[in-house]
Amino acid sequence: MLHFYNTFTGKKEKFIPIRKGRVKMYTCGPTVYDYAHLGNFRAYIFEDILRRFLKYQGYEVTQVMNITDIDDKTIAGAGREGVGLAEFTKRYTTAFFEDLKSLNIEPAEFYPLATKHIEQMVELIKKLLDKGYAYRKDGSIYFRIRDFKNYGRLSKMNLDMVRPGSRIDHDEYGKGDVKDFVLWKARKTTDEPFWDTELGPGRPGWHIECSAMSIKYLGQPFDIHTGGEDNIFPHHENEIAQSEAALGKKFVNYWLHCKFLLVNNEKMAKSKGNFFTLRNLLDKGYKPGAIRWLLLSTHYRATLNFTFKGLKSAEETVQRLNDFLSRVKQCRPDARKKENRVLSRKIMNSGKKFEKALSDDLNISKGLAHIFELVRSVNIALEKDRFNRSNLVQVLSLFEKFDLILGIFEQKPVKLTAQIRGLIKKRQQARRQKDFILADRIRKELFVKGLILEDTKDGVRCRYQSGREIK
Ligand code: AMP
Ligand code: ZN
């Protein structure tokens, strides 16, 4: 049975989906005004682990991640560069999808763009006007939070701090800034993008887009809504207020939020200038698998401090695990050797323990500890030559299962190109002729291409540094 910590109730709860065997989940996506940074990817990786684990447990998952392609920041960015909003946001949307692929984050089923769902937002705002939760002021439309009696339940915000009628129309505001929030922003300047709708000329506020798009693709209520902890207030609080006030029923059953990725104990954020984009780190030569590992290996409800030391150690761990798998794959136990039954039991139990750990609010740290324990046992069995063909199949199939969640071993085997095969041959020839300078030069050349050569007594062994398999 799965249990998740629900921010709404402040408790770990049994997970019961609305429809048996199915999970509908919504994930707040990026505002596409720049490249996403590692803090953002902490949230997306947590959501990826959640999604993968739900699928692993047999659920059919429908995930929606919005793309915010209209807000104060995207408009300002396009204006600064003197390009159209669509051209500007397309660039960062494309980059975002490339980054997701690099980090092996499974695609969601839907990536709706805010600008393509204005109609749904207008409909929702009209309902709020009809029911008296929204009011007009100077051409804009606001949500009156005092009228929604459950306002503040998710964030445990104290409503006494709000002065009646105080309004805010920025998309972002600080903690404790409890004010009526904007649903529809009146067109102010002539060069700002706007939509001529029944509500008057203007554009939507940020919060309404997530309500409109989640309801369109998932219905209401749906099972799980996720985000980083900064989304709790005001964004998710406002989503609940709008959706429940408009439709008169519960919006979401489980709210899951990941804690921040920090740098020197401060939130990694664009506004603080303390961020690294994924691209910054790939340019520095770090591998996507190591970055993925760094972000997934700390439980999502514990803060994670980013350091280069931590990243280096993640890289070493991924390398060690890849080396371990290559070692297992390459061992050729004698067909007559008997099965190591103690080890077989350990392999089976590790799988169960891993699942049990993740079922408990995605306790990945505990889950990984079981994997490392198994690696130790298998290494000992290999050293002592107590490892047979059945054991080999058991280990490989279990690691294949682990990787359905971890996603770090998934690269498909590649064929070495004729050029690389030629270089390896040339190097062997050079070694035979004792031309060690040439042999070493070729070895270095191959290293730049990510390949490592090891000279064993059975000949040369070639492997990819990233752990990528060779056909
Ligand atoms: P944004 O583009 O700022 O709306 O953020 C996109 C996602 O990244 C949201 O789910 C945020 O909660 C999340 N996020 C932003 N910064 C961090 C951080 N430092 N650590 C964890 N999640 C973050
Ligand atoms: Zn959102």
Side-chain angles (χ1 to χ4, degrees), residues 104-134:
N104 202 9
I105 292 174
E106 273 192 4
E109 279 62 33
F110 299 98
Y111 289 104
L113 299 179
T115 51
K116 298 274 185 274
H117 295 79
I118 303 294
E119 193 190 319
Q120 285 78 7
M121 298 179 211
V122 169
E123 282 310 306
L124 209 55
I125 297 170
K126 272 168 55 193
K127 278 199 181 88
L128 291 169
L129 282 168
D130 286 349
K131 291 191 170 185
Y133 286 100

mmCIF file of all heavy atoms in Angstrom, residues 104-134:
data_model
loop_
_atom_site.group_PDB
_atom_site.id
_atom_site.type_symbol
_atom_site.label_atom_id
_atom_site.label_comp_id
_atom_site.label_asym_id
_atom_site.label_seq_id
_atom_site.Cartn_x
_atom_site.Cartn_y
_atom_site.Cartn_z
ATOM 1 N N ASN A 104 16.693 12.372 -18.642
ATOM 2 C CA ASN A 104 15.914 11.133 -18.708
ATOM 3 C C ASN A 104 14.620 11.211 -17.880
ATOM 4 O O ASN A 104 14.245 10.266 -17.196
ATOM 5 C CB ASN A 104 16.772 9.941 -18.253
ATOM 6 C CG ASN A 104 16.242 8.633 -18.772
ATOM 7 O OD1 ASN A 104 15.344 8.607 -19.603
ATOM 8 N ND2 ASN A 104 16.765 7.531 -18.267
ATOM 9 N N ILE A 105 13.995 12.388 -17.942
ATOM 10 C CA ILE A 105 12.703 12.578 -17.266
ATOM 11 C C ILE A 105 11.627 12.119 -18.251
ATOM 12 O O ILE A 105 11.589 12.586 -19.389
ATOM 13 C CB ILE A 105 12.521 14.057 -16.863
ATOM 14 C CG1 ILE A 105 13.537 14.403 -15.762
ATOM 15 C CG2 ILE A 105 11.088 14.351 -16.429
ATOM 16 C CD1 ILE A 105 13.580 15.846 -15.349
ATOM 17 N N GLU A 106 10.788 11.202 -17.803
ATOM 18 C CA GLU A 106 9.759 10.659 -18.704
ATOM 19 C C GLU A 106 8.787 11.743 -19.107
ATOM 20 O O GLU A 106 8.354 12.532 -18.256
ATOM 21 C CB GLU A 106 8.949 9.576 -17.971
ATOM 22 C CG GLU A 106 9.560 8.228 -18.055
ATOM 23 C CD GLU A 106 8.579 7.159 -17.564
ATOM 24 O OE1 GLU A 106 7.414 7.468 -17.232
ATOM 25 O OE2 GLU A 106 9.010 6.002 -17.508
ATOM 26 N N PRO A 107 8.396 11.768 -20.364
ATOM 27 C CA PRO A 107 7.444 12.807 -20.771
ATOM 28 C C PRO A 107 6.077 12.638 -20.117
ATOM 29 O O PRO A 107 5.619 11.514 -19.887
ATOM 30 C CB PRO A 107 7.340 12.640 -22.285
ATOM 31 C CG PRO A 107 8.158 11.483 -22.664
ATOM 32 C CD PRO A 107 8.843 10.917 -21.452
ATOM 33 N N ALA A 108 5.455 13.791 -19.803
ATOM 34 C CA ALA A 108 4.070 13.775 -19.304
ATOM 35 C C ALA A 108 3.163 13.479 -20.491
ATOM 36 O O ALA A 108 3.599 13.537 -21.637
ATOM 37 C CB ALA A 108 3.731 15.131 -18.696
ATOM 38 N N GLU A 109 1.899 13.194 -20.214
ATOM 39 C CA GLU A 109 0.968 12.904 -21.304
ATOM 40 C C GLU A 109 0.543 14.200 -22.003
ATOM 41 O O GLU A 109 0.272 14.202 -23.187
ATOM 42 C CB GLU A 109 -0.273 12.181 -20.762
ATOM 43 C CG GLU A 109 -0.087 10.685 -20.539
ATOM 44 C CD GLU A 109 0.984 10.347 -19.512
ATOM 45 O OE1 GLU A 109 1.157 11.118 -18.552
ATOM 46 O OE2 GLU A 109 1.659 9.306 -19.668
ATOM 47 N N PHE A 110 0.475 15.300 -21.248
ATOM 48 C CA PHE A 110 0.059 16.580 -21.838
ATOM 49 C C PHE A 110 0.955 17.711 -21.355
ATOM 50 O O PHE A 110 1.283 17.771 -20.162
ATOM 51 C CB PHE A 110 -1.380 16.936 -21.416
ATOM 52 C CG PHE A 110 -2.401 15.933 -21.872
ATOM 53 C CD1 PHE A 110 -2.847 14.939 -20.995
ATOM 54 C CD2 PHE A 110 -2.921 15.981 -23.156
ATOM 55 C CE1 PHE A 110 -3.796 14.009 -21.396
ATOM 56 C CE2 PHE A 110 -3.877 15.056 -23.565
ATOM 57 C CZ PHE A 110 -4.312 14.064 -22.684
ATOM 58 N N TYR A 111 1.313 18.601 -22.285
ATOM 59 C CA TYR A 111 2.058 19.821 -21.947
ATOM 60 C C TYR A 111 1.277 21.025 -22.478
ATOM 61 O O TYR A 111 1.674 21.642 -23.473
ATOM 62 C CB TYR A 111 3.440 19.799 -22.596
ATOM 63 C CG TYR A 111 4.408 18.812 -21.993
ATOM 64 C CD1 TYR A 111 4.714 17.615 -22.640
ATOM 65 C CD2 TYR A 111 5.037 19.087 -20.785
ATOM 66 C CE1 TYR A 111 5.608 16.709 -22.092
ATOM 67 C CE2 TYR A 111 5.944 18.182 -20.229
ATOM 68 C CZ TYR A 111 6.215 17.004 -20.888
ATOM 69 O OH TYR A 111 7.111 16.116 -20.345
ATOM 70 N N PRO A 112 0.160 21.374 -21.876
ATOM 71 C CA PRO A 112 -0.633 22.467 -22.429
ATOM 72 C C PRO A 112 0.044 23.837 -22.274
ATOM 73 O O PRO A 112 0.661 24.126 -21.239
ATOM 74 C CB PRO A 112 -1.924 22.411 -21.610
ATOM 75 C CG PRO A 112 -1.549 21.713 -20.348
ATOM 76 C CD PRO A 112 -0.442 20.772 -20.676
ATOM 77 N N LEU A 113 -0.105 24.646 -23.312
ATOM 78 C CA LEU A 113 0.419 26.018 -23.263
ATOM 79 C C LEU A 113 -0.673 26.932 -22.737
ATOM 80 O O LEU A 113 -1.836 26.823 -23.165
ATOM 81 C CB LEU A 113 0.791 26.499 -24.665
ATOM 82 C CG LEU A 113 1.866 25.739 -25.442
ATOM 83 C CD1 LEU A 113 2.060 26.383 -26.815
ATOM 84 C CD2 LEU A 113 3.184 25.776 -24.676
ATOM 85 N N ALA A 114 -0.305 27.844 -21.864
ATOM 86 C CA ALA A 114 -1.306 28.763 -21.296
ATOM 87 C C ALA A 114 -1.991 29.561 -22.395
ATOM 88 O O ALA A 114 -3.222 29.728 -22.380
ATOM 89 C CB ALA A 114 -0.629 29.694 -20.299
ATOM 90 N N THR A 115 -1.210 30.026 -23.379
ATOM 91 C CA THR A 115 -1.804 30.889 -24.425
ATOM 92 C C THR A 115 -2.827 30.150 -25.286
ATOM 93 O O THR A 115 -3.585 30.781 -26.017
ATOM 94 C CB THR A 115 -0.709 31.451 -25.353
ATOM 95 O OG1 THR A 115 0.104 30.370 -25.798
ATOM 96 C CG2 THR A 115 0.154 32.477 -24.639
ATOM 97 N N LYS A 116 -2.853 28.838 -25.218
ATOM 98 C CA LYS A 116 -3.826 28.082 -26.029
ATOM 99 C C LYS A 116 -5.057 27.711 -25.204
ATOM 100 O O LYS A 116 -5.896 26.937 -25.661
ATOM 101 C CB LYS A 116 -3.183 26.781 -26.564
ATOM 102 C CG LYS A 116 -1.989 27.018 -27.473
ATOM 103 C CD LYS A 116 -2.466 27.228 -28.921
ATOM 104 C CE LYS A 116 -1.321 27.360 -29.897
ATOM 105 N NZ LYS A 116 -0.801 28.710 -30.037
ATOM 106 N N HIS A 117 -5.118 28.211 -23.978
ATOM 107 C CA HIS A 117 -6.261 27.848 -23.112
ATOM 108 C C HIS A 117 -6.931 29.068 -22.482
ATOM 109 O O HIS A 117 -7.469 28.986 -21.380
ATOM 110 C CB HIS A 117 -5.810 26.853 -22.030
ATOM 111 C CG HIS A 117 -5.389 25.544 -22.620
ATOM 112 N ND1 HIS A 117 -4.161 25.365 -23.193
ATOM 113 C CD2 HIS A 117 -6.050 24.381 -22.775
ATOM 114 C CE1 HIS A 117 -4.076 24.130 -23.675
ATOM 115 N NE2 HIS A 117 -5.209 23.519 -23.436
ATOM 116 N N ILE A 118 -6.885 30.167 -23.201
ATOM 117 C CA ILE A 118 -7.483 31.401 -22.680
ATOM 118 C C ILE A 118 -9.005 31.206 -22.515
ATOM 119 O O ILE A 118 -9.586 31.639 -21.524
ATOM 120 C CB ILE A 118 -7.184 32.594 -23.632
ATOM 121 C CG1 ILE A 118 -5.666 32.753 -23.825
ATOM 122 C CG2 ILE A 118 -7.827 33.883 -23.105
ATOM 123 C CD1 ILE A 118 -4.875 33.158 -22.627
ATOM 124 N N GLU A 119 -9.593 30.496 -23.467
ATOM 125 C CA GLU A 119 -11.041 30.283 -23.444
ATOM 126 C C GLU A 119 -11.472 29.601 -22.128
ATOM 127 O O GLU A 119 -12.437 30.017 -21.490
ATOM 128 C CB GLU A 119 -11.371 29.387 -24.641
ATOM 129 C CG GLU A 119 -12.820 29.291 -24.973
ATOM 130 C CD GLU A 119 -13.048 28.193 -26.022
ATOM 131 O OE1 GLU A 119 -12.234 28.091 -26.972
ATOM 132 O OE2 GLU A 119 -14.015 27.431 -25.843
ATOM 133 N N GLN A 120 -10.723 28.553 -21.743
ATOM 134 C CA GLN A 120 -11.066 27.824 -20.512
ATOM 135 C C GLN A 120 -10.900 28.736 -19.286
ATOM 136 O O GLN A 120 -11.658 28.655 -18.332
ATOM 137 C CB GLN A 120 -10.172 26.599 -20.332
ATOM 138 C CG GLN A 120 -10.500 25.426 -21.227
ATOM 139 C CD GLN A 120 -9.990 25.599 -22.650
ATOM 140 O OE1 GLN A 120 -9.258 26.547 -22.962
ATOM 141 N NE2 GLN A 120 -10.384 24.703 -23.524
ATOM 142 N N MET A 121 -9.888 29.616 -19.328
ATOM 143 C CA MET A 121 -9.660 30.515 -18.184
ATOM 144 C C MET A 121 -10.802 31.525 -18.088
ATOM 145 O O MET A 121 -11.311 31.804 -16.997
ATOM 146 C CB MET A 121 -8.317 31.231 -18.350
ATOM 147 C CG MET A 121 -7.147 30.262 -18.373
ATOM 148 S SD MET A 121 -5.586 31.121 -18.604
ATOM 149 C CE MET A 121 -4.656 29.872 -19.490
ATOM 150 N N VAL A 122 -11.216 32.036 -19.253
ATOM 151 C CA VAL A 122 -12.314 33.008 -19.274
ATOM 152 C C VAL A 122 -13.590 32.367 -18.696
ATOM 153 O O VAL A 122 -14.290 32.972 -17.875
ATOM 154 C CB VAL A 122 -12.537 33.533 -20.726
ATOM 155 C CG1 VAL A 122 -13.831 34.339 -20.830
ATOM 156 C CG2 VAL A 122 -11.340 34.373 -21.176
ATOM 157 N N GLU A 123 -13.861 31.134 -19.110
ATOM 158 C CA GLU A 123 -15.049 30.432 -18.612
ATOM 159 C C GLU A 123 -15.029 30.318 -17.095
ATOM 160 O O GLU A 123 -16.028 30.530 -16.409
ATOM 161 C CB GLU A 123 -15.137 29.020 -19.217
ATOM 162 C CG GLU A 123 -15.657 28.988 -20.640
ATOM 163 C CD GLU A 123 -16.944 29.783 -20.809
ATOM 164 O OE1 GLU A 123 -17.911 29.517 -20.066
ATOM 165 O OE2 GLU A 123 -16.972 30.688 -21.678
ATOM 166 N N LEU A 124 -13.863 29.961 -16.561
ATOM 167 C CA LEU A 124 -13.729 29.789 -15.111
ATOM 168 C C LEU A 124 -13.936 31.126 -14.384
ATOM 169 O O LEU A 124 -14.623 31.208 -13.358
ATOM 170 C CB LEU A 124 -12.326 29.221 -14.819
ATOM 171 C CG LEU A 124 -12.155 28.360 -13.585
ATOM 172 C CD1 LEU A 124 -13.122 27.203 -13.566
ATOM 173 C CD2 LEU A 124 -10.712 27.810 -13.532
ATOM 174 N N ILE A 125 -13.350 32.177 -14.942
ATOM 175 C CA ILE A 125 -13.488 33.500 -14.314
ATOM 176 C C ILE A 125 -14.958 33.958 -14.365
ATOM 177 O O ILE A 125 -15.475 34.536 -13.402
ATOM 178 C CB ILE A 125 -12.539 34.522 -14.991
ATOM 179 C CG1 ILE A 125 -11.072 34.090 -14.786
ATOM 180 C CG2 ILE A 125 -12.768 35.924 -14.431
ATOM 181 C CD1 ILE A 125 -10.053 34.861 -15.594
ATOM 182 N N LYS A 126 -15.621 33.645 -15.475
ATOM 183 C CA LYS A 126 -17.040 34.024 -15.576
ATOM 184 C C LYS A 126 -17.859 33.337 -14.472
ATOM 185 O O LYS A 126 -18.734 33.930 -13.858
ATOM 186 C CB LYS A 126 -17.583 33.632 -16.962
ATOM 187 C CG LYS A 126 -17.368 34.751 -17.987
ATOM 188 C CD LYS A 126 -17.602 34.331 -19.417
ATOM 189 C CE LYS A 126 -18.944 33.714 -19.685
ATOM 190 N NZ LYS A 126 -18.984 33.061 -21.016
ATOM 191 N N LYS A 127 -17.535 32.081 -14.237
ATOM 192 C CA LYS A 127 -18.249 31.352 -13.169
ATOM 193 C C LYS A 127 -18.014 32.044 -11.831
ATOM 194 O O LYS A 127 -18.930 32.182 -11.017
ATOM 195 C CB LYS A 127 -17.711 29.915 -13.070
ATOM 196 C CG LYS A 127 -18.327 28.981 -14.078
ATOM 197 C CD LYS A 127 -18.119 27.522 -13.625
ATOM 198 C CE LYS A 127 -18.702 26.566 -14.624
ATOM 199 N NZ LYS A 127 -17.848 26.151 -15.698
ATOM 200 N N LEU A 128 -16.769 32.471 -11.598
ATOM 201 C CA LEU A 128 -16.444 33.116 -10.317
ATOM 202 C C LEU A 128 -17.158 34.456 -10.179
ATOM 203 O O LEU A 128 -17.581 34.829 -9.076
ATOM 204 C CB LEU A 128 -14.920 33.278 -10.178
ATOM 205 C CG LEU A 128 -14.153 31.961 -10.009
ATOM 206 C CD1 LEU A 128 -12.650 32.172 -10.146
ATOM 207 C CD2 LEU A 128 -14.470 31.309 -8.650
ATOM 208 N N LEU A 129 -17.319 35.156 -11.302
ATOM 209 C CA LEU A 129 -18.061 36.429 -11.269
ATOM 210 C C LEU A 129 -19.531 36.148 -10.955
ATOM 211 O O LEU A 129 -20.132 36.790 -10.095
ATOM 212 C CB LEU A 129 -17.940 37.145 -12.616
ATOM 213 C CG LEU A 129 -16.627 37.896 -12.890
ATOM 214 C CD1 LEU A 129 -16.536 38.292 -14.358
ATOM 215 C CD2 LEU A 129 -16.486 39.142 -11.998
ATOM 216 N N ASP A 130 -20.073 35.135 -11.644
ATOM 217 C CA ASP A 130 -21.488 34.781 -11.436
ATOM 218 C C ASP A 130 -21.765 34.411 -9.986
ATOM 219 O O ASP A 130 -22.800 34.741 -9.425
ATOM 220 C CB ASP A 130 -21.874 33.573 -12.305
ATOM 221 C CG ASP A 130 -21.999 33.962 -13.769
ATOM 222 O OD1 ASP A 130 -21.991 35.177 -14.034
ATOM 223 O OD2 ASP A 130 -22.068 33.048 -14.624
ATOM 224 N N LYS A 131 -20.835 33.687 -9.393
ATOM 225 C CA LYS A 131 -21.075 33.222 -8.024
ATOM 226 C C LYS A 131 -20.688 34.257 -6.970
ATOM 227 O O LYS A 131 -20.784 34.004 -5.772
ATOM 228 C CB LYS A 131 -20.291 31.932 -7.783
ATOM 229 C CG LYS A 131 -20.832 30.764 -8.584
ATOM 230 C CD LYS A 131 -20.202 29.470 -8.125
ATOM 231 C CE LYS A 131 -20.911 28.288 -8.743
ATOM 232 N NZ LYS A 131 -20.416 27.014 -8.257
ATOM 233 N N GLY A 132 -20.163 35.382 -7.415
ATOM 234 C CA GLY A 132 -19.836 36.466 -6.485
ATOM 235 C C GLY A 132 -18.480 36.359 -5.789
ATOM 236 O O GLY A 132 -18.202 37.127 -4.869
ATOM 237 N N TYR A 133 -17.646 35.429 -6.210
ATOM 238 C CA TYR A 133 -16.311 35.335 -5.593
ATOM 239 C C TYR A 133 -15.315 36.315 -6.237
ATOM 240 O O TYR A 133 -14.259 36.580 -5.685
ATOM 241 C CB TYR A 133 -15.732 33.922 -5.764
ATOM 242 C CG TYR A 133 -16.375 32.891 -4.878
ATOM 243 C CD1 TYR A 133 -17.351 32.029 -5.372
ATOM 244 C CD2 TYR A 133 -15.996 32.778 -3.534
ATOM 245 C CE1 TYR A 133 -17.938 31.078 -4.561
ATOM 246 C CE2 TYR A 133 -16.574 31.831 -2.717
ATOM 247 C CZ TYR A 133 -17.550 30.975 -3.236
ATOM 248 O OH TYR A 133 -18.130 30.040 -2.429
ATOM 249 N N ALA A 134 -15.655 36.784 -7.442
ATOM 250 C CA ALA A 134 -14.725 37.665 -8.144
ATOM 251 C C ALA A 134 -15.360 39.036 -8.327
ATOM 252 O O ALA A 134 -16.585 39.156 -8.365
ATOM 253 C CB ALA A 134 -14.390 37.054 -9.494
#
